[in-house]
Amino acid sequence: MLKYASHMDDRLKISEDHFQRLARLLDLEAEAEKQETVRSLEKMSPAEAEASGNSLIQLVIREEDSGLGGKILLTFGKRNENLHLPWSRIGNGSPVILSEEGLHDKDAPSWRGIVSRANKDTIQVAFTHWPETDSDRPTFRLDRSTDEISRQRQRLALESSRGAKGTRLAILRDVLLGKQNPVFNKIEVPIPCNNKLNNSQNQAVAFALSAEDVAIIHGPPGTGKTTTLIELMRQITHNGQTMLAVAASNLAVDNMLERLIDAGENAIRLGHPARVSPVLREHTLDELTEVHPDMKLARKLTRDAHSLRKQASKYFRVKPDPNLRQSLREEAKQLLNEARQIEDSVTERIINNAKIVCATATGLDSETFARRKFDWCIMDEASQSVEPSAWIPVQYANRLVLAGDHFQLPPTVISPEAIRGGFNISLMERLLNINSGVSRLLNVQYRMHQDIMNFSSDVFYEGSLQADETVRTALLTDLPNLKSSPLTDCPIHFIDTAGASYDEEQEADGDSRLNPLEAELVIKKVHELLSCGLSPKHIAVISPYSAQVKLLREKLKHLDLEIDSVDGFQGREKEAVIVSLVRSNREGEVGFLADTRRMNVALTRARRKLIVIGDSATITSHGFYQRMVEYFESIGAYHSVWEE
């Protein structure tokens, strides 16, 4: 018995070490993000900060309103009403910090909020607390911020998972740490809800349903991962079970929700309405709460609170009793608290009655889910999430299915020290390294020509991918009203700029790279595609370097086509994609290109035409690109820039 107790103590110590390491790395990443923001803003005057797109200054409150879920909505505009808001990186869903201008005290108050609406003249921000100021006519500043709420939820999830004893979470924790083997049950193969699934998709669904603890669905580019997940979700609900469907991004969550609704499933969406697609907002928890009959009283209490707030902020010619403003504000707070209690009660009832709840992993609040347990958690984009965020939904489910592709983009981590500690390794990737038997691979892709697929298949997936007949030989010339040309008659075009002095440059105010001559060649190829009759909406230009993206956007701003970073184009596809590699130097330094998973994404976005532009003399210093150029040569896709 003592030996068993000692063994249990050792197991707990191992789990504590793991979670403490993750917590430390999470703090390192938080500090790196904070320092990056501080450094960029401290170097700038307020006007420069606004010009950088990270701040808005000289703002006044134009309107006050109440929002869904008891949120306080403040609409800001420029103090000078004749001025539009400048270009900004602050948009719908952005976390921001509001501060009053003119206060130089480091301890001056600030308020966190989420942008709920932005247009050329005004920006509306949702707050959970009223910004308190004693000034009669204050002006404000908004700064982009890190999301500290999601960070705190990750910390709490790590603590909860580390300390779990004698619970389902404790068992899941030990399985996910590799200290206990996952269990799979024999089940009857279900009759598919969607009879168009291929064999590997049906096998993945059946395998996931057989899992007692955890299963992984590995979905390479274009293999219908989301389609497979929707089938799995429908099977789960048809079995009368409940489900939490999460993903790393709001876009992926919306995609799942939309597909579930189209399939006739009843699901609700958690999250700030500003971060949800407008067509799906009627399915959000906030909207469902707002139309609930019990909310009439809550709305009245909120209106009364706003009326009191307006009285407190009213401008008086004669300075009033200093206690008047404070008493009005306190009464308003009490009314808002009563309204929120009603809202919390309605919210809890709606969530408890829901069979499917969709949310981002970091959008789950422990207070909301403290008494709710789901039969399943389905996690899309699992390979793109840092591990602490994955432990948030694990707390609330009995079984876990992870879906993604660890050979595409990893989690985004900016702290070099955190990367060295393995913070960019997702829970999904770590679990596959422990036990590859928990995974099933989807092997039929429905996106791209087989020549576009084959290099990725050979390098990353051991040659296991197959192109479906609907896309296997699809070319641009097969599209209606498209002219035949050397560019449209073949699937891949690699243009080698070696020896042509297409030298890279470092951007003037940052660390990114650009290549002006390569950008001109990209523009030339865009116009060639357009002249053949291809619509701009079917063309994408992508590059691993943000400075090159910025340059190309400026030069092609008159055209309605997408230009983005590789990261920004993850999960997307176009008929034709032009990839600008940028790097061209005598030292053979590839820098950022060394992350070959990022290049796997770049090379698999095109359906019918892939154009890659790069300097072979530079990039082939890396084995991956040597192999890529050799592949292009083997299929007749290699061209020198001198031929163009």
Side-chain angles (χ1 to χ4, degrees):
M1 185 69 183
L2 288 173
K3 184 178 180 181
Y4 175 76
S6 176
H7 178 60
M8 289 297 291
D9 289 342
D10 289 342
R11 285 174 55 184
L12 185 58
K13 184 177 185 300
I14 292 171
S15 67
E16 285 178 340
D17 290 344
H18 177 75
F19 290 110
Q20 286 172 344
R21 180 181 66 85
L22 288 178
R24 177 174 56 82
L25 298 176
L26 180 65
D27 288 341
L28 286 173
E29 178 66 6
E31 183 61 25
E33 288 186 9
K34 178 182 176 182
Q35 291 302 321
E36 185 177 78
T37 302
V38 169
R39 279 195 302 269
S40 63
L41 292 178
E42 281 184 346
K43 293 177 182 177
M44 303 176 187
S45 66
E48 289 171 335
E50 185 172 69
S52 74
N54 294 311
S55 304
L56 291 170
I57 64 173
Q58 290 290 290
L59 301 175
V60 295
I61 298 173
R62 295 273 181 86
E63 295 178 14
E64 299 178 2
D65 202 354
S66 58
L68 300 173
K71 295 177 179 65
I72 299 155
L73 302 180
L74 299 181
T75 300
F76 298 89
K78 282 290 189 179
R79 183 176 63 178
N80 182 344
E81 295 187 9
N82 296 320
L83 294 178
H84 297 315
L85 293 178
W87 167 84
S88 172
R89 293 188 176 91
I90 302 173
N92 286 353
S94 296
V96 292
I97 294 177
L98 177 73
S99 57
E100 185 180 350
E101 291 181 322
L103 301 181
H104 302 295
D105 185 352
K106 288 185 178 180
D107 296 325
S110 60
W111 304 272
R112 288 186 175 273
I114 300 290
V115 175
S116 51
R117 188 180 66 237
N119 56 45
K120 66 177 183 178
D121 293 318
T122 60
I123 185 166
Q124 185 185 74
V125 182
F127 298 93
T128 55
H129 299 94
W130 279 95
E132 300 283 359
T133 175
D134 292 326
S135 304
D136 287 329
R137 296 178 179 178
T139 60
F140 296 94
R141 168 173 170 162
L142 278 176
D143 293 300
R144 284 182 78 217
S145 169
T146 55
D147 194 344
E148 289 304 314
I149 294 175
S150 67
R151 200 102 62 190
Q152 181 61 19
R153 287 172 180 167
Q154 292 176 70
R155 291 188 183 98
L156 291 173
L158 292 176
E159 292 174 9
S160 175
S161 301
R162 184 183 63 193
K165 295 179 182 179
T167 63
R168 182 62 187 153
L169 175 58
I171 295 172
L172 269 178
R173 176 197 64 208
D174 286 352
V175 171
L176 295 175
L177 292 179
K179 295 183 292 181
Q180 186 170 314
N181 290 327
V183 175
F184 295 91
N185 301 314
K186 287 186 177 180
I187 64 168
E188 287 188 21
V189 177
I191 299 172
C193 300
N194 179 356
N195 58 18
K196 294 182 180 179
L197 267 63
N198 63 49
N199 187 49
S200 71
Q201 291 172 323
N202 281 320
Q203 286 183 357
V205 170
F207 177 70
L209 289 172
S210 74
E212 187 67 26
D213 308 295
V214 63
I216 293 174
I217 296 178
H218 183 188
T223 53
K225 172 175 58 66
T226 304
T227 299
T228 307
L229 289 183
I230 297 303
E231 174 69 19
L232 172 62
M233 294 179 194
R234 295 179 71 186
Q235 293 288 348
I236 288 171
T237 57
H238 290 186
N239 289 338
Q241 296 175 309
T242 58
M243 179 177 54
L244 186 58
V246 301
S249 70
N250 284 288
L251 186 63
V253 177
D254 284 350
N255 188 26
M256 286 193 292
L257 176 61
E258 189 169 12
R259 300 277 287 274
L260 285 167
I261 292 168
D262 289 344
E265 300 293 338
N266 186 16
I268 68 171
R269 170 74 155 95
L270 269 60
H272 197 291
R275 292 172 168 167
V276 180
S277 171
V279 298
L280 298 173
R281 285 181 187 165
E282 66 180 280
H283 301 280
T284 62
L285 177 62
D286 281 358
E287 288 276 5
L288 294 169
T289 301
E290 188 68 14
V291 299
H292 194 280
D294 292 357
M295 286 299 295
K296 287 182 179 179
L297 176 57
R299 283 194 291 271
K300 180 183 184 304
L301 293 171
T302 302
R303 285 195 302 270
D304 291 346
H306 279 274
S307 177
L308 290 171
R309 286 291 310 183
K310 286 180 180 178
Q311 290 182 50
S313 59
K314 186 178 179 182
Y315 176 69
F316 295 94
R317 289 185 178 276
V318 179
K319 196 165 186 177
D321 180 347
N323 294 324
L324 176 61
R325 291 187 196 272
Q326 188 60 30
S327 63
L328 291 172
R329 286 171 178 165
E330 286 300 322
E331 189 176 349
K333 283 182 182 179
Q334 290 176 13
L335 293 177
L336 284 175
N337 285 336
E338 291 179 37
R340 285 190 182 121
Q341 288 175 12
I342 296 172
E343 290 170 8
D344 290 345
S345 174
V346 171
T347 295
E348 185 176 357
R349 278 178 277 164
I350 292 173
I351 290 178
N352 288 340
N353 291 330
K355 295 296 183 184
I356 307 175
V357 174
C358 302
T360 59
T362 56
L364 302 174
D365 184 359
S366 59
E367 291 184 9
T368 303
F369 287 90
R371 292 178 292 278
R372 182 71 200 268
K373 199 78 168 180
F374 294 85
D375 296 308
W376 294 82
C377 172
I378 312 298
M379 188 182 302
D380 196 7
E381 297 184 329
S383 55
Q384 295 178 53
S385 300
V386 292
E387 185 169 337
S389 69
W391 286 98
I392 299 175
V394 169
Q395 302 171 95
Y396 310 121
N398 293 323
R399 299 177 183 86
L400 176 66
V401 177
L402 303 169
D405 181 12
H406 55 297
F407 294 127
Q408 294 188 64
L409 292 179
T412 300
V413 179
I414 67 170
S415 166
E417 192 174 349
I419 291 173
R420 286 193 296 271
F423 199 57
N424 59 335
I425 298 174
S426 65
L427 172 62
M428 175 179 161
E429 183 176 0
R430 184 177 61 74
L431 193 57
L432 282 169
N433 290 334
I434 296 172
N435 186 350
S436 60
V438 299
S439 174
R440 288 295 182 271
L441 177 75
L442 306 179
N443 63 8
V444 180
Q445 68 84 17
Y446 299 87
R447 175 182 298 162
M448 62 200 110
H449 189 286
Q450 62 181 356
D451 287 354
I452 300 174
M453 172 199 75
N454 281 337
F455 177 70
S456 175
S457 177
D458 290 343
V459 173
F460 294 99
Y461 310 104
E462 300 178 343
S464 61
L465 299 188
Q466 306 165 27
D468 186 74
E469 283 300 314
T470 57
V471 300
R472 190 172 63 85
T473 59
L475 296 169
L476 285 180
T477 48
D478 298 327
L479 294 173
N481 303 317
L482 229 79
K483 296 177 185 176
S484 174
S485 78
L487 205 59
T488 60
D489 289 344
C490 64
I492 300 180
H493 220 75
F494 173 67
I495 305 173
D496 187 1
T497 64
S501 299
Y502 277 45
D503 298 333
E504 66 183 68
E505 300 174 6
Q506 184 168 323
E507 66 178 340
D509 54 352
D511 298 324
S512 189
R513 305 273 169 165
L514 65 154
N515 192 317
L517 288 178
E518 192 170 288
E520 293 301 325
L521 186 53
V522 168
I523 295 166
K524 179 181 177 183
K525 292 303 160 186
V526 167
H527 286 291
E528 284 184 31
L529 290 172
L530 295 174
S531 67
C532 290
L534 189 62
S535 169
K537 69 180 182 180
H538 293 315
I539 303 172
V541 177
I542 59 180
S543 175
Y545 288 92
S546 59
Q548 187 78 341
V549 170
K550 184 178 179 181
L551 175 64
L552 286 163
R553 281 178 175 169
E554 180 62 30
K555 289 181 174 292
L556 289 168
K557 60 185 177 183
H558 60 289
L559 294 177
D560 184 24
L561 76 161
E562 289 195 59
I563 304 171
D564 212 336
S565 65
V566 178
D567 298 49
F569 215 72
Q570 165 84 340
R572 310 284 308 289
E573 58 188 59
K574 289 286 184 179
E575 300 292 354
V577 173
I578 303 175
V579 181
S580 173
L581 297 180
V582 176
R583 298 313 295 255
S584 179
N585 56 74
R586 293 179 181 179
E587 295 75 26
E589 293 180 357
V590 297
F592 203 39
L593 298 185
D595 186 348
T596 57
R597 290 182 293 184
R598 183 167 274 102
M599 195 49 52
N600 185 33
V601 174
L603 298 176
T604 55
R605 301 305 97 194
R607 297 188 190 118
R608 299 168 185 262
K609 183 68 185 184
L610 171 66
I611 301 173
V612 180
I613 302 174
D615 181 344
S616 67
T618 297
I619 64 175
T620 54
S621 63
H622 191 288
F624 173 87
Y625 295 98
Q626 175 69 39
R627 189 172 175 181
M628 182 187 77
V629 172
E630 289 172 354
Y631 172 74
F632 290 155
E633 289 175 332
S634 73
I635 62 171
Y638 178 91
H639 302 271
S640 170
V641 69
W642 305 109
E643 302 170 25
E644 300 301 319

